[in-house]
Amino acid sequence: MIIFIRRHLAVKLFISYLAIILVGAVILFAATRFTLPEAFNRHMGMGFAGTGMMQGAGTGGSGMADLFTNFQASFNEALVLAMAAAGLAAVLVSLLLSRGVVAPVRLMTIASQHIADGHYSERVQTGNPDELGQLAHSFNQMAENLEQVELMRRHLIADVSHELRTPLTAIQGSMEGLLDGILPATPETYQQIHQEAGRLARLVDDLQELSRVEAGATPLEIRPAQISNLIQTTIKRLDPQARSKHIDINTDLPDELPLVLLDDARITQVLTNLVSNALQYSPEGGGVRISARQVRDEVQVSVSDSGIGIPAEHIPHLFTRFYRVDKSRSRQSGGGSGIGLTIARHLVEAHDGRIWVESRGAGQGSTFSFSLPISR
C-alpha cells in the first residue's frame, strides 16, 4: 500500500486533501465541545456548569439540564450530518482537483516516453501560466532543442559521408583503371592517387579537430601575447601561396597594441585559416589586407580580400560546418574540407571572443574579423 502511494502523485494529493479535511473536522468537533456549554449558558441567561448540572436547586434546574442535554444531542447530530455532507463534497472536489493537477504531469510523462523512443516532434499543450504551464513550456523547449540536435546529427552524418565519398571514389576509380589497364602506370597517375589520399587524410584530421573544439576538449595555454607577432608569423608562412598568385599582403598594425589573452598556436591557426581563404578567393594580382585595432576592452583583427565576395543570404551560414557558397565548386578548387571556419569560430569563442564576416556582395570582396579580450 505504501509503495502504491509513493508511486502515484494523484493518490498523494488525495490523501493530503483528506488529511486537511480530517484535521478540520477534529478541530471543529473539539471547538464545539468546549464552547457549546458557555454559549448555551450565555444565551439562556442562566448559570450552567460544564458538567450539565444547573447552579441552583429545584425542578427548574433539572428541566434546564434536560433541555441542554437534548440541545447538545441535536447539535451533535446536525454537526455529524453536516460534516458527513461536507466530507463527501470535499472528497469529490479533491478527486477533481487532484486529477486536474496530475493530468498535465501524466501528459508530459507520456510525451517524454515518446521522445525517449526517438519521436522528437512530440509536444505538450501549455495552458495556464502557472508552474505546470511553465514546466510544459520548458519541456517543449527541451524537445525542440533535442529535435534540432538530432537534425544536426543527421546532417553531419550525411555531410561526412559525402565528403569522404569524394576522395574515396577518386582513389577507387584510379586503382580500377590501373588494374584494368585503362590508366597508365605513370608517376602522374600515382601522384593523383597520392593527392586524393592526402585530401582524405586532411579531412579526417579536420573532423577530429572539429570534434575536439565542439566538445570543448581542446587544451588552451592562454597567456598575454602581442597579436602583431602572430600576424607577421602567419604572413611569412603563407608568403609562398601569395607569391604564386602575385597577391600583395598589406598590414595596418598600430605601433602600440595592448597585449591580448590568447593561445599562440590556436590563434595562429585561426589567422592561417582566414588569410589562406582570402588568398584562395582573391584573383591573381589582387590584394589582401590585415589590420588590427583596439575597440574598448578588445582587440579586433580583420582580414580583407578583393575576391569574389559573399551574397548577403549566405553570410549567416558561413561558419556552419561543410557549408559552401558555391555548391558546384569542388573541394580541390573551392577551399579544403569546408569546416575550417567552423573550427575557427569555436577556437575564437573558446578565448571569450567573437568572429564575424562582412561583405558588400558578390564581386566586392569580404572581410573576416574576430576580437579577443585585452590582458589586464
Side-chain angles (χ1 to χ4, degrees):
M1 184 64 180
I2 297 178
I3 297 177
F4 178 79
I5 294 175
R6 289 180 176 178
R7 290 181 177 178
H8 295 83
L9 179 60
V11 177
K12 293 180 182 179
L13 291 174
F14 180 71
I15 292 177
S16 65
Y17 294 149
L18 289 183
I20 295 173
I21 295 170
L22 180 61
V23 171
V26 171
I27 294 175
L28 178 63
F29 183 79
T32 57
R33 187 72 175 176
F34 288 105
T35 59
L36 184 60
E38 180 64 28
F40 183 84
N41 179 39
R42 185 172 59 255
H43 287 285
M44 295 303 294
M46 296 182 180
F48 188 75
T51 58
M53 298 300 295
M54 296 296 299
Q55 295 178 350
T59 57
S62 178
M64 188 60 67
D66 292 340
L67 177 62
F68 176 75
T69 302
N70 293 331
F71 171 75
Q72 188 177 37
S74 62
F75 178 82
N76 290 339
E77 181 180 351
L79 180 63
V80 171
L81 292 176
M83 290 176 61
L88 179 61
V91 168
L92 296 177
V93 173
S94 299
L95 288 173
L96 293 177
L97 290 178
S98 60
R99 292 181 61 182
V101 172
V102 173
V105 179
R106 184 176 292 111
L107 291 176
M108 279 187 279
T109 301
I110 296 174
S112 63
Q113 291 175 349
H114 289 168
I115 291 177
D117 294 334
H119 305 287
Y120 297 102
S121 60
E122 190 74 20
R123 299 292 186 273
V124 295
Q125 294 183 351
T126 56
N128 299 324
D130 54 9
E131 286 78 2
L132 288 176
Q134 296 174 6
L135 177 61
H137 180 70
S138 299
F139 180 90
N140 288 338
Q141 284 185 329
M142 178 198 69
E144 184 176 355
N145 292 337
L146 288 175
E147 187 176 15
Q148 292 296 326
V149 170
E150 176 64 16
L151 184 62
M152 291 176 61
R153 184 187 68 84
R154 293 178 181 177
H155 286 172
L156 176 61
I157 293 176
D159 291 338
V160 171
S161 300
H162 173 74
E163 298 300 323
L164 291 175
R165 186 182 297 111
T166 302
L168 286 175
T169 301
I171 293 173
Q172 183 179 10
S174 298
M175 294 303 298
E176 290 177 353
L178 287 173
L179 293 175
D180 295 338
I182 299 176
L183 290 178
T186 60
E188 290 77 10
T189 302
Y190 293 119
Q191 181 65 27
Q192 181 181 0
I193 297 175
H194 183 267
Q195 290 178 352
E196 294 297 334
R199 290 178 56 197
L200 183 60
R202 287 192 298 271
L203 176 59
V204 173
D205 291 339
D206 289 342
L207 289 173
Q208 289 179 339
E209 179 71 15
L210 178 62
S211 66
R212 285 194 295 267
V213 297
E214 286 188 333
T218 302
L220 296 177
E221 298 180 1
I222 297 180
R223 59 184 179 181
Q226 182 58 254
I227 191 69
S228 300
N229 298 335
L230 302 185
I231 293 175
Q232 296 297 338
T233 300
T234 303
I235 293 175
K236 292 179 181 180
R237 178 180 299 177
L238 296 177
D239 185 64
Q241 181 180 350
R243 289 178 179 273
S244 65
K245 296 185 67 174
H246 306 287
I247 295 176
D248 293 329
I249 301 179
N250 301 313
T251 60
D252 181 11
L253 305 176
D255 295 333
E256 296 183 358
L257 275 176
L259 296 178
V260 180
L261 292 175
L262 53 81
D263 182 303
D264 292 6
R266 297 304 178 181
I267 296 303
T268 301
Q269 181 180 354
V270 173
L271 286 168
T272 301
N273 181 277
L274 297 182
V275 178
S276 178
N277 285 346
L279 293 173
Q280 184 163 6
Y281 288 106
S282 294
E284 289 197 16
V288 172
R289 182 171 178 267
I290 306 174
S291 61
R293 62 192 179 101
Q294 180 181 355
V295 180
R296 293 186 294 276
D297 57 348
E298 296 178 329
V299 169
Q300 291 185 2
V301 179
S302 299
V303 179
S304 303
D305 61 61
S306 57
I308 60 177
I310 304 171
E313 64 270 17
H314 295 288
I315 289 180
H317 309 287
L318 278 183
F319 296 98
T320 303
R321 63 172 77 94
F322 299 115
Y323 188 84
R324 294 158 70 192
V325 175
D326 188 355
K327 305 301 182 181
S328 62
R329 188 181 294 269
S330 66
R331 289 297 182 206
Q332 189 174 1
S333 61
S337 62
I339 58 179
L341 290 177
T342 307
I343 294 175
R345 175 173 65 87
H346 283 286
L347 289 177
V348 170
E349 291 177 352
H351 286 75
D352 295 327
R354 300 175 296 114
I355 187 169
W356 65 96
V357 60
E358 298 171 312
S359 179
R360 289 179 294 179
Q364 301 187 55
S366 57
T367 300
F368 285 82
S369 304
F370 67 91
S371 63
L372 297 174
I374 294 174
S375 173
R376 296 297 182 182

